[in-house]
Amino acid sequence: MNTGMQDAANLSWKLAAVLRGAPEALLDSYQSERHPVGRAVLRSSGAIIRAAMIRSSLGRAVRGFLGDHVLSVPRIREKVTGQLTGIGYHYPAPSGAHPSVGTRAQDRTFADGTRLYEALRGQHFVLTGAEDVTPWSDRVRTTGPTDGPMTLVRPDGYVGWAGTDPGDLRETLTALVGKP
């Protein structure tokens, strides 16, 4: 179910953006972003079912021992949790992009007390930073000044762009959000 909801969230904002003037090529990114996730979910679901179906007492004991010990390692536990919930995946980023592009944005509280995930509820993009995006104000919410680079979070919760160059931001807005 989580995978299907993420699929829908990914495709819906892209369809809306193309209808508002974003390049049609944006729709092609659905395949490159979501197909690997679907493949990974099928693979991990199969492994979970095979592990759950172990019949021998030795196999169950090994499964229990490994599960207890492997999942006690925080990094492994976080990865497994991210895969099971469907939000632990990242998307390929363009060459030269900021390292956060394509990753799931972490929820955070802004200076005005609002949280990122609350701002995303209206299916808007959220720009963390002080840049003026008035031509896109019907589709992009801004949070004001922040530490670090400006970050454009897509409606599906993934970072679509991060940087400091206002010109690059405007190009990205046209490509991801649509024409002003």
Side-chain angles (χ1 to χ4, degrees):
M1 182 174 77
N2 288 342
T3 303
M5 290 171 55
Q6 285 289 317
D7 287 346
N10 183 288
L11 187 56
S12 65
W13 76 261
K14 291 174 181 179
L15 287 168
V18 169
L19 290 173
R20 290 183 169 140
E24 288 186 17
L26 178 61
L27 296 175
D28 295 337
S29 66
Y30 175 82
Q31 174 73 12
S32 64
E33 290 180 353
R34 296 305 300 166
H35 185 75
V37 173
R39 186 175 42 239
V41 167
L42 287 174
R43 196 173 30 238
S44 64
S45 296
I48 290 168
I49 289 180
R50 285 189 297 279
M53 300 299 290
I54 293 175
R55 293 185 184 262
S56 75
S57 57
L58 176 61
R60 288 193 313 266
V62 170
R63 175 189 64 203
F65 177 80
L66 288 176
D68 288 345
H69 288 81
V70 169
L71 293 177
S72 68
V73 177
R75 190 173 184 126
I76 294 173
R77 185 175 53 249
E78 288 172 15
K79 181 154 180 76
V80 169
T81 301
Q83 288 180 337
L84 289 175
T85 60
I87 61 172
Y89 296 97
H90 66 275
Y91 299 145
S95 179
H98 189 276
S100 66
V101 173
T103 64
R104 179 97 178 152
Q106 297 295 316
D107 195 13
R108 55 192 262 198
T109 303
F110 301 112
D112 66 359
T114 61
R115 289 183 27 243
L116 173 62
Y117 287 0
E118 290 171 354
L120 288 169
R121 283 188 186 148
Q123 292 299 304
H124 289 84
F125 285 77
V126 175
L127 176 65
T128 64
E131 191 60 33
D132 178 24
V133 293
T134 301
W136 293 275
S137 62
D138 61 326
R139 293 163 275 166
V140 179
R141 293 183 178 164
T142 57
T143 64
T146 59
D147 295 333
M150 292 181 287
T151 303
L152 182 67
V153 181
R154 304 177 343 184
D156 63 355
Y158 284 82
V159 176
W161 176 86
T164 57
D165 181 3
D168 190 28
L169 170 62
R170 292 188 186 296
E171 286 179 28
T172 299
L173 286 169
T174 299
L176 294 183
V177 179
K179 294 178 182 173

